[in-house]
């Protein structure tokens, strides 16, 4: 003998199917919102400037084992420790914290133990799939995730946290998932590979 309301059972089964379909559609839409923008081509390269004060001349360099397109910046005058690090272009902060571990190198103890990775660091999303990264900062960044910055805004100070042998700024420009040659004020830096040691001097036009 069958008990219960067959109409109610049919409605319950239909409701469950509708819920499953709606859940699947929502999942597909969520994936599409993430994947589709990543598949779009990058926008035009922003007019990046050197991430240091207007008018200052810095040495840009790389060396074997440093990774292609990575740039280390050292001031040509004065002490590197504590020099202001500026946003190369306007954007939104997506990382502001510790990459790896800090180590123990400070102005008072410059030969302290190295850390791992980039130490204190900042990453900025400039739109159009363009990003910049700033590593080995002296102290916690002066910006936070989600903050909007203008070109020339201070985001930190030069240090030697993480896997760093001396105070400097490690800097990268990225298009999508790939690092690319850095351009400053519309001109390529010339640092493309780490097959040999290479340095060049550039004067900052990051003048606000």
């Amino acid at each position: 003998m069958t008990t219960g309301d067959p109409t109610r059972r049919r409605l319950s089964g239909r409701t469950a199917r509708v819920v499953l379909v709606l859940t699947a559609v929502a999942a597909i839409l969520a994936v599409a919102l993430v994947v589709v923008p990543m598949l779009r081509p990058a926008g035009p390269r922003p007019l990046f400037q050197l991430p240091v004060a207007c008018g200052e001349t810095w040495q840009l360099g790389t060396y074997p084992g440093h990774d292609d397109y990575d740039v280390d910046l050292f001031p040509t005058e004065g002490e590197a420790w504590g020099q202001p690090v500026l946003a190369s272009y306007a954007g939104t902060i997506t990382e502001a914290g510790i990459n790896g571990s800090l180590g123990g190198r400070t102005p008072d103890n410059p030969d302290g133990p190295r850390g791992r990775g980039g130490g204190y660091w900042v990453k900025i999303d400039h739109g159009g799939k363009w990003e910049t990264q700033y590593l080995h900062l002296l102290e916690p960044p002066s910006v936070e995730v989600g903050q909007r910055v203008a070109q020339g805004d201070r985001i930190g100070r030069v240090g030697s946290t993480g896997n760093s042998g001396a105070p400097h700024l490690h800097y990268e420009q990225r298009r999508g998932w790939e690092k690319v040659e850095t351009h400053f004020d519309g001109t390529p830096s010339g640092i493309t590979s780490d097959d040999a040691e290479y340095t060049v001097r550039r004067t900052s036009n990051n003048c606000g």
Side-chain angles (χ1 to χ4, degrees):
M1 177 177 173
T2 303
T3 59
D5 187 342
T7 301
R8 183 177 297 171
R9 288 198 301 273
R10 285 196 298 273
L11 288 174
S12 296
R14 188 175 302 155
T15 300
R17 288 194 295 273
V18 169
V19 169
L20 284 173
V21 169
L22 290 175
T23 301
V25 169
I28 291 169
L29 287 174
V31 171
L33 286 172
V34 174
V35 173
V36 170
M38 297 170 77
L39 296 176
R40 291 176 182 154
R45 181 192 296 270
L47 188 61
F48 292 119
Q49 300 295 337
L50 279 169
V52 296
C54 175
E56 291 185 352
T57 298
W58 284 57
Q59 178 175 292
L60 286 62
T62 191
Y63 52 86
H66 188 222
D67 244 7
D68 291 348
Y69 305 114
D70 291 357
V71 176
D72 282 351
L73 290 96
F74 299 85
T76 57
E77 294 183 2
E79 180 66 69
W81 291 105
Q83 291 281 355
V85 175
L86 312 181
S88 279
Y89 194 77
T92 301
I93 305 298
T94 55
E95 297 282 354
I98 299 173
N99 177 304
S101 64
L102 298 177
R105 298 199 169 200
T106 66
D108 294 329
N109 186 21
D111 296 319
R114 292 192 189 212
R116 292 181 294 103
Y120 286 123
W121 77 313
V122 169
K123 182 164 70 171
I124 304 177
D125 178 3
H126 303 284
K129 299 177 72 174
W130 286 93
E131 292 182 342
T132 51
Q133 297 188 11
Y134 314 72
L135 289 79
H136 307 310
L137 303 180
L138 175 63
E139 57 204 1
S142 53
V143 291
E144 57 187 29
V145 172
Q147 180 178 337
R148 181 77 182 171
V149 293
Q151 186 175 75
D153 282 355
R154 195 178 102 167
I155 60 175
R157 295 198 296 159
V158 171
S160 193
T161 55
N163 185 16
S164 168
H168 71 286
L169 176 65
H170 174 110
Y171 175 87
E172 301 174 14
Q173 290 177 5
R174 290 175 176 257
R175 181 180 58 212
W177 288 299
E178 62 176 350
K179 279 185 285 189
V180 294
E181 181 181 2
T182 53
H183 283 53
F184 298 109
D185 204 25
T187 303
S189 68
I191 297 176
T192 57
S193 78
D194 64 347
D195 291 339
E197 187 166 340
Y198 177 82
T199 62
V200 62
R201 291 188 174 197
R202 297 289 295 273
T203 300
S204 175
N205 195 30
N206 197 340
C207 302

